[in-house]
Amino acid sequence: DALDRVGELMSDTLNVYDYQTLKNKKELRWRNAAAWERHEMVKIGLLREGSPSGIWEITDAGREYLANNK
């Protein structure tokens, strides 16, 4: 799952606040924030819309953005 991998890569950056459960008691704060960021990246065309659940597919525009913003 893409979010699990993000959590692994960010484990040194995430803090106690990030690991708190949201009021709905269903989701960790950092996972919710990451899901919203993914949504924004889809909206601006960096990630492909309609990818299977757990799969984040980068678009050509996303590759270009990454190449120009390293």
Side-chain angles (χ1 to χ4, degrees):
D1 185 54
L3 279 177
D4 291 337
R5 184 68 178 134
V6 169
E8 290 171 13
L9 294 171
M10 297 293 297
S11 64
D12 291 342
T13 303
L14 298 172
N15 59 42
V16 172
Y17 178 79
D18 298 318
Y19 286 106
Q20 289 177 350
T21 305
L22 294 175
K23 289 181 183 180
N24 65 15
K25 305 289 184 196
K26 295 180 182 179
E27 191 170 33
L28 296 176
R29 189 174 300 282
W30 78 263
R31 288 181 73 90
N32 181 268
W36 278 107
E37 288 303 318
R38 181 199 176 279
H39 175 76
E40 290 300 314
M41 287 186 278
V42 168
K43 274 180 37 178
I44 63 174
L46 301 178
L47 294 177
R48 193 170 322 282
E49 186 173 11
S51 296
S53 180
I55 305 294
W56 294 16
E57 295 178 276
I58 193 167
T59 63
D60 290 338
R63 283 184 178 76
E64 183 178 331
Y65 177 86
L66 181 60
N68 294 326
N69 293 283
K70 285 188 176 183

